Amino acid sequence: MSYLEYAIKTVPSGIRKVLYLNWPLVFLLTAISSVGFLMLYSVAGGSPQPWMEPQMERFGLGMVAMFAAAMVPIWFWRNISFVAYAVSLLLLIAVEIMGEIGMGAQRWIDLGFFQLQPSELMKIALVMVLAAYYDWLDVEKVSRPLWMLPPLLLILVPTALVLKQPDLGTAILLLAGGGFIMWLAGVHWAYFLAVIASGVSLVYAVMASRGTDWQLIKDYQFRRIDTFLDPTSDPLGAGYHITQATIALGSGGWTGRGFMQGTQSRLNFLPEKHTDFIFTTLAEEFGFVGASSLLGLYALVLVFCYISAMANRDRFSSLLILGIAATFFLFFSVNMAMVMGMAPVVGVPLPLVSYGGSAMMVLLGAFGLVQSAHVHRPR
Amino acid sequence: MRRSEKDVEKSSGIITRRAIVLGGLQLSMMGALGLRLRHMQVEEADEYRLLAEENRINVRLLAPQRGLIFDRNGRPVAQNDQNYRVVIVREDAGDVEAVLTRLTGLIELTPEEIERTLREVGRRSAFVPVTVKDQMPWEDLARVAINAPALPGVRPEVGQTRNYPLGQDFAHVVGYVGPVSDYDLSKMEDPDPLMQIPKFQIGKSGVEARMEEVLRGKAGNSQIEVNAVGRVMRELSRTEGASGRNLQLTIDAGVQNFTQARLDGESSGVVVVDCTNGDIIAAVSSPSFDPNLFVRGISVADYKSLTGNKYRPLASKTVQGTYPPGSTFKMVVALAALEAGVITPEGTEWCPGYLAAGGRRFHCWKSGGHGHVNLNGAIQQSCDVYFYEIAQKVGIDRVAAMAQRLGLGTRFDLPLSAISEGIAPDKDWKRRSYGQDWLVGDTLNASIGQGYVLASPLQLAVMTARIASGNAVMPRLIKTIDGVEQPVSAEPMGISPRHLRAVQTGMDSVSNTTRGTGYRSRVVDDAMRIAGKSGTSQVRNITKAERARGVTRNDQLPWERRDHALFVAYGPVPSPRYAVAVIVEHGGGGSSVAAPIARDVLLSAMTGGMPPLDAYPSSQRDGIAARFEAMPMHEQFRPKDGKSRA
């Protein structure tokens, strides 16, 4: 397939493309990132160092990447989807091998100016490749078992690799994100039912494997599950993180303790206060009003993505936008569920708010693809 | 290949439908997140906020200074000494082992102390100070302080420890303090938060224990903000506590020390009471022990030597020990009979040397008998038969009632450990205790202070004070609390002065007439003349087998089975001021062993220190001067010229 199927004449060209960007989305992403800057400033005890300034730099870089990606026609992105996926997979294998040959359990590749996590890249590459696959595949064949094998392999191979790192959070994101796209592409619902059923059985098997020779996950992951089920069982040990997080979150009340007044994060009761648990600081300092506002911003991002996807008659574009939105949704909902004690602590950052270069860059880059799809939609 | 319009429609139709389902799923997930957020932040906010405060604020207790204890003249009896110690903080020290090695060059550290410190340091967080050495001399502390730059993380500190400067003199009265134990805690209903301080010192016995609440003071506290690992971030507020209140005892440390030294390790108890107000001037149990040993933590060997000693140094013989009062009980019988009107002071009884009753003979100590004796003669010579006769007349119940009025068989409420009630038996008591009827023989035994009668030296001293003053003086041990005088009680007993005078005259005759049993221990200075009564109480009878072996005299028996020697006395006779009771366990005869002690102690109480030699009969002065010279007294209580005041 080629871009010739699009009515190119109706697509804006050159600098005019800027006018056709999905600007509400740009503002929303900036607003969410700004919340992140504020919180990073707060958890550093009222200092732009060590987190806020680097985060702003990366946000700047990410925005540039987003605009750049938005300028590139969507069919280009579709055509390099498989390449992007292959590169990401190779990088994933590379960090795996580097770990094997004694550099420790590294999850990133040092690019000099920044440390790239191939697993972050993979989250987007997987969405791209699946969208491209289902764009290419005849709609009639979507639910045929043979045609379901390639997407399943595309999902499961990187999932297995990140699970081996081990990075449970990313594995869940890849698995669920991939599943969402297959759902959107129209795979018959009976498959999903079967997968959910076997998933439940798998969880059962994992729990049953505990303490045996064929134990499927690591002890610390078992302990995380234990403390998820009952955080009070070990309040100063494994359950400490979640107990402290819920205390901080709950003590925020309606309007919070005020900016920079959160005692729990200030006094280091909170672990990972600038990364995975930053939402608790926000909730403590700005209360229910602040925390639910952030949730609202995230929801608006989804809404604009859905609107853009529905209005887009290009199959690849729709699937890509919805896939990226789903990944974004998984990011923030798993993170929030985690810090609120509704899900195990699996190490998923709060998108655009948590401190971390890779995630910020990759997410903004991904929204660049959304913008590109939006700008270059068939009219 | 170009997609047909139909295909595009179909494809976007599927996506739209599926997207609506997925969107609904995501929306409901977000709804769940929002509800959870609302639940935690709005409905349960108060609970979490409380948890957050607990997290953040740590209350650190500031130990108050324990109240001091003084004698009646303001001499310190229990005080708080500066306790110098050196602590080390790991995070400041860096290499703890190297720093300790350097410290060893300055102060003496045993390998055990170093090892213990290293173990402790390894166990605690890096910022927690660990004590390296306790109870250091000031010089060592100064050396450490001067060399501080070379000793990172090492800090000299000052704490407080209890000290009893008079050592053994007040061991049984004031007692001692020690670290609070689990057993102590289990006994407390609502333990003071101070008890949480590790090794917090509380009173373990005596006044220290019974006046604990007064002495302890109130804990101050310092609210500190801590972080998750317990490091102190800053102090939020500080409330100073209140020091414990100071106590002043009624005891005169000079008299106490003289008495302790006079007893010189003999197994005995002596109590001196002020006849006018009940103040306990001295309460000495001998042998004693050094309470400071317990404060520092007594060694097993020291403790064993205390518990293994047959003279029982840990027992407080003045209030805990009860003994048959022997003939010192005869005043009780006499007063009971006089008050009941069954005898007059002038009336006589016939003493043939024994009294036959209940099918057996009750002997007088003088086998030949005293012939016709009146009350005065009976007390003076301690005629047993006279008291057998009058006790039968008055009956045991009225004797027991008089004993109670005089303070026997009564548990005085003093802040001392293990105060015994003693026994002033009557018919009812025997029925309750033994389920048996009272027999005539019981009355006869009781009339001479044997049998069931038991009294402590404190009770005998109070009895003597009440006889001497006619007032129901209540013993008092605490004179002031923080300078506030404590109440005294000395209501008239309502015993006829004539009857009292008859008994007092009898006691005067004991000490001051040639036939009196206490004549050898008289005071010749009329201004300090004493009146007393001896007592010799049998621990058990000499058995037939022993008699067969030729054992007839007390000093031929093993120590545990010899008689107790007792003497009660008061003085000066013209206006009684002090009453004393002396008991020497298994000491032998009351008049020969206990009476000289009673005289010395009374003279000491009257002069407030060393007895004046010229109060003694001239023939005894040299021997007494030599004895005083040899007595192990504290230097501060000896007259400056090295001689007795004359």
Side-chain angles (χ1 to χ4, degrees):
Chain A
M1 286 189 287
S2 82
Y3 56 85
L4 287 174
E5 64 199 65
Y6 294 115
I8 295 176
K9 271 179 273 178
T10 62
V11 170
S13 62
I15 200 68
R16 282 187 59 241
K17 286 180 183 178
V18 175
L19 298 175
Y20 290 86
L21 284 175
N22 193 340
W23 280 105
L25 210 48
V26 176
F27 289 126
L28 279 171
L29 297 176
T30 309
I32 292 170
S33 300
S34 303
V35 170
F37 304 150
L38 210 60
M39 294 330 295
L40 289 173
Y41 180 79
S42 172
V43 292
S47 157
Q49 288 293 346
W51 299 309
M52 189 187 90
E53 268 184 22
Q55 182 84 344
M56 287 174 98
E57 283 166 21
R58 280 165 199 150
F59 172 75
L61 269 174
M63 283 311 259
V64 170
M66 184 174 95
F67 282 113
M71 295 301 115
V72 177
I74 189 64
W75 48 87
F76 171 81
W77 292 119
R78 188 192 64 194
N79 292 348
I80 67 147
S81 285
F82 191 78
V83 179
Y85 177 82
V87 169
S88 301
L89 196 63
L90 283 174
L91 287 174
L92 259 184
I93 294 166
V95 286
E96 188 63 41
I97 290 167
M98 275 157 61
E100 292 284 318
I101 59 172
M103 292 180 71
Q106 272 194 5
R107 294 177 182 182
W108 64 82
I109 291 168
D110 202 340
L111 295 182
F113 66 100
F114 118 145
Q115 291 166 336
L116 181 75
Q117 283 199 37
S119 59
E120 296 289 344
L121 223 47
M122 180 51 86
K123 286 168 195 159
I124 304 308
L126 181 65
V127 173
M128 287 168 73
V129 80
L130 287 172
Y133 174 80
Y134 283 112
D135 181 42
W136 165 80
L137 192 66
D138 197 19
V139 181
E140 305 297 333
K141 297 176 183 166
V142 162
S143 291
R144 295 193 190 156
L146 192 66
W147 294 109
M148 283 184 51
L149 270 180
L152 281 178
L153 277 176
L154 289 173
I155 294 168
L156 291 177
V157 171
T159 302
L161 280 171
V162 294
L163 205 53
K164 202 163 175 292
Q165 282 185 344
D167 184 351
L168 196 57
T170 303
I172 289 170
L173 254 56
L174 290 175
L175 209 58
F180 281 164
I181 295 177
M182 288 178 78
W183 169 263
L184 289 164
V187 174
H188 198 275
W189 56 265
Y191 290 105
F192 291 92
L193 212 63
V195 167
I196 289 167
S198 53
V200 171
S201 327
L202 182 72
V203 167
Y204 181 79
V206 165
M207 294 314 285
S209 77
R210 185 169 199 176
T212 61
D213 294 339
W214 49 281
Q215 189 166 305
L216 293 170
I217 57 175
K218 299 207 168 179
D219 278 340
Y220 84 94
Q221 288 165 329
F222 268 126
R223 279 197 298 278
R224 280 180 171 185
I225 294 171
D226 284 348
T227 53
F228 161 61
L229 294 175
D230 183 14
T232 54
S233 64
D234 185 13
L236 290 178
Y240 182 79
H241 285 199
I242 200 66
T243 309
Q244 296 300 333
T246 50
I247 287 175
L249 206 142
S251 65
W254 260 108
T255 53
R257 291 171 180 271
F259 184 50
M260 311 241 305
Q261 302 300 312
T263 58
Q264 300 304 294
S265 38
R266 190 110 311 104
L267 297 169
N268 282 327
F269 281 105
L270 281 177
E272 313 271 341
K273 58 184 179 185
H274 61 292
T275 56
D276 291 0
F277 283 83
I278 196 161
F279 184 65
T280 54
T281 305
L282 173 86
E284 189 190 9
E285 298 191 351
F286 295 106
F288 179 66
V289 172
S292 53
S293 299
L294 183 68
L295 191 61
L297 288 177
Y298 282 133
L300 279 177
V301 169
L302 293 188
V303 167
F304 279 97
C305 285
Y306 271 86
I307 291 171
S308 172
M310 306 268 203
N312 202 320
R313 290 172 52 240
D314 178 42
R315 190 168 165 79
F316 174 76
S317 296
S318 298
L319 288 173
L320 183 75
I321 295 170
L322 291 174
I324 286 169
T327 304
F328 188 70
F329 161 79
L330 284 169
F331 260 111
F332 74 77
S333 59
V334 169
N335 178 278
M336 285 185 181
M338 177 175 98
V339 299
M340 282 192 256
M342 297 164 75
V345 177
V346 289
V348 174
L350 193 61
L352 303 179
V353 178
S354 285
Y355 179 76
S358 284
M360 170 74 102
M361 298 277 289
V362 169
L363 270 170
L364 288 177
F367 279 105
L369 301 183
V370 172
Q371 294 287 6
S372 170
H374 188 76
V375 171
H376 302 98
R377 68 184 179 275
R379 288 178 168 85
Chain B
M1 161 185 119
R2 203 179 163 87
R3 228 170 234 159
S4 70
E5 199 59 27
K6 200 180 145 212
D7 270 4
V8 171
E9 287 308 322
K10 190 178 180 195
S11 153
S12 49
I14 290 171
I15 290 180
T16 304
R17 283 199 301 279
R18 290 291 173 107
I20 286 168
V21 174
L22 188 63
L25 197 78
Q26 292 175 343
L27 201 67
S28 50
M29 177 65 188
M30 281 187 284
L33 289 173
L35 281 176
R36 169 80 175 168
L37 203 57
R38 205 187 107 83
H39 179 70
M40 287 176 81
Q41 295 202 289
V42 178
E43 275 139 57
E44 292 185 347
D46 291 344
E47 190 185 317
Y48 282 114
R49 201 161 275 217
L50 195 71
L51 285 170
E53 289 301 317
E54 278 172 12
N55 236 350
R56 186 168 72 98
I57 293 172
N58 219 323
V59 176
R60 212 163 264 199
L61 288 166
L62 304 170
Q65 182 180 297
R66 196 173 173 83
L68 307 176
I69 304 177
F70 301 96
D71 88 331
R72 67 181 297 117
N73 299 315
R75 294 189 195 97
V77 171
Q79 56 196 22
N80 302 316
D81 274 5
Q82 308 280 45
N83 165 23
Y84 302 110
R85 61 173 177 256
V86 164
V87 298
I88 190 163
V89 181
R90 170 153 52 103
E91 68 175 0
D92 299 336
D95 186 350
V96 175
E97 216 161 340
V99 173
L100 284 180
T101 312
R102 249 172 290 156
L103 192 61
T104 319
L106 292 169
I107 59 173
E108 223 173 285
L109 286 179
T110 62
E112 292 88 67
E113 282 171 324
I114 293 177
E115 201 200 316
R116 185 192 51 76
T117 309
L118 286 173
R119 221 179 322 121
E120 192 100 333
V121 162
R123 248 191 5 233
R124 303 294 192 88
S125 299
F127 54 87
V128 174
V130 169
T131 305
V132 180
K133 198 179 173 76
D134 217 357
Q135 312 270 8
M136 294 175 21
W138 188 85
E139 291 75 23
D140 279 3
L141 191 84
R143 245 197 317 271
V144 172
I146 290 167
N147 289 285
L151 299 165
V154 173
R155 225 161 49 204
E157 278 190 355
V158 185
Q160 293 200 320
T161 43
R162 201 66 158 169
N163 176 268
Y164 304 102
L166 298 176
Q168 61 164 5
D169 287 3
F170 285 86
H172 298 105
V173 177
V174 167
Y176 50 85
V177 297
V180 62
S181 67
D182 291 341
Y183 175 70
D184 295 328
L185 279 175
S186 70
K187 282 195 304 184
M188 295 177 200
E189 255 175 41
D190 181 24
D192 193 304
L194 275 170
M195 302 299 160
Q196 296 158 8
I197 297 179
K199 293 192 172 177
F200 183 75
Q201 305 247 297
I202 61 162
K204 293 285 187 173
S205 76
V207 172
E208 291 272 31
R210 297 286 309 278
M211 302 294 283
E212 172 66 26
E213 319 278 89
V214 174
L215 289 166
R216 187 190 300 149
K218 274 228 158 58
N221 64 57
S222 145
Q223 285 202 326
I224 46 174
E225 195 172 70
V226 296
N227 71 357
V229 287
R231 183 196 298 278
V232 177
M233 308 297 278
R234 66 195 165 114
E235 192 172 62
L236 295 172
S237 73
R238 192 185 178 92
T239 329
E240 293 298 338
S243 316
R245 286 184 279 172
N246 294 343
L247 297 182
Q248 191 180 11
L249 303 177
T250 56
I251 291 183
D252 183 324
V255 179
Q256 181 86 357
N257 179 244
F258 172 84
T259 309
Q260 191 83 58
R262 174 67 180 81
L263 295 175
D264 196 15
E266 181 101 51
S267 185
S268 46
V270 173
V271 175
V272 181
V273 168
D274 189 322
C275 299
T276 60
N277 58 12
D279 278 4
I280 297 172
I281 302 299
V284 176
S285 182
S286 172
S288 188
F289 60 92
D290 184 357
N292 293 306
L293 289 178
F294 284 85
V295 178
R296 285 175 213 133
I298 191 163
S299 70
V300 175
D302 281 345
Y303 192 68
K304 276 219 172 107
S305 82
L306 287 177
T307 51
N309 191 328
K310 68 172 175 179
Y311 295 153
R312 306 189 325 283
L314 293 175
S316 170
K317 287 160 190 148
T318 50
V319 294
Q320 185 182 5
T322 54
Y323 309 87
S327 300
T328 58
F329 192 67
K330 285 173 179 169
M331 281 86 78
V332 177
V333 181
L335 279 173
L338 286 168
E339 285 285 292
V342 297
I343 62 160
T344 60
E346 297 76 29
T348 61
E349 301 291 339
W350 169 251
C351 169
Y354 65 88
L355 178 91
R360 60 168 281 215
R361 279 183 173 190
F362 288 81
H363 290 275
C364 185
W365 66 269
K366 192 174 177 184
S367 45
H370 290 95
H372 283 286
V373 280
N374 65 6
L375 176 63
N376 190 51
I379 294 176
Q380 175 198 36
Q381 296 168 54
S382 203
C383 174
D384 293 337
V385 173
Y386 177 89
F387 288 97
Y388 294 152
E389 297 284 1
I390 68 167
Q392 280 182 293
K393 287 179 185 166
V394 67
I396 189 63
D397 286 346
R398 280 189 284 193
V399 171
M402 179 54 72
Q404 295 273 2
R405 276 172 92 180
L406 292 172
L408 304 183
T410 308
R411 196 176 175 284
F412 293 114
D413 184 26
L414 290 172
L416 289 171
S417 297
I419 300 179
S420 298
E421 192 176 310
I423 300 168
D426 56 18
K427 289 174 183 168
D428 196 41
W429 172 86
K430 191 178 177 189
R431 211 168 296 122
R432 265 186 288 124
S433 308
Y434 292 92
Q436 290 169 5
D437 284 337
W438 187 267
L439 305 175
V440 174
D442 295 330
T443 304
L444 302 188
N445 274 332
S447 71
I448 58 164
Q450 294 282 163
Y452 298 118
V453 189
L454 286 175
S456 66
L458 171 73
Q459 289 171 331
L460 292 175
V462 169
M463 174 193 83
T464 309
R466 289 184 178 181
I467 291 169
S469 66
N471 295 329
V473 291
M474 291 299 288
R476 179 175 82 147
L477 185 62
I478 306 298
K479 188 168 159 57
T480 66
I481 296 178
D482 259 357
V484 178
E485 190 79 20
Q486 298 302 294
V488 294
S489 161
E491 299 299 312
M493 282 192 295
I495 295 176
S496 144
R498 215 167 61 83
H499 297 154
L500 281 171
R501 210 170 309 119
V503 173
Q504 288 163 356
T505 309
M507 292 174 73
D508 195 12
S509 306
V510 169
S511 293
N512 299 303
T513 60
T514 48
R515 294 176 69 189
T517 56
Y519 183 67
R520 258 189 62 78
S521 301
R522 67 195 178 277
V523 170
V524 296
D525 183 341
D526 208 45
M528 290 190 275
R529 200 171 88 224
I530 65 169
K533 179 74 194 83
S534 61
T536 304
S537 64
Q538 282 180 0
V539 176
R540 65 189 295 272
N541 292 325
I542 294 172
T543 62
K544 275 201 178 129
E546 282 163 342
R547 236 179 262 279
R549 266 190 281 124
V551 179
T552 51
R553 279 178 41 200
N554 197 49
D555 54 8
Q556 290 167 315
L557 286 166
W559 180 80
E560 304 82 34
R561 302 213 335 248
R562 290 181 204 163
D563 298 340
H564 293 314
L566 295 97
F567 202 83
V568 297
Y570 64 88
V573 172
S575 73
R577 179 68 202 273
Y578 298 107
V580 67
V582 175
I583 173 147
V584 180
E585 286 188 331
H586 312 293
S591 51
S592 58
V593 176
I597 297 171
R599 172 176 62 175
D600 291 348
V601 171
L602 268 184
L603 286 172
S604 172
M606 285 188 263
T607 58
M610 292 294 279
L613 274 183
D614 52 8
Y616 294 89
S618 51
S619 62
Q620 300 173 6
R621 285 176 196 167
D622 287 348
I624 283 166
R627 162 181 283 162
F628 287 175
E629 210 57 51
M631 276 177 15
M633 282 182 70
H634 287 299
E635 278 313 309
Q636 67 180 105
F637 298 118
R638 261 185 205 286
K640 288 285 175 289
D641 58 2
K643 281 191 206 147
S644 303
R645 253 187 296 175

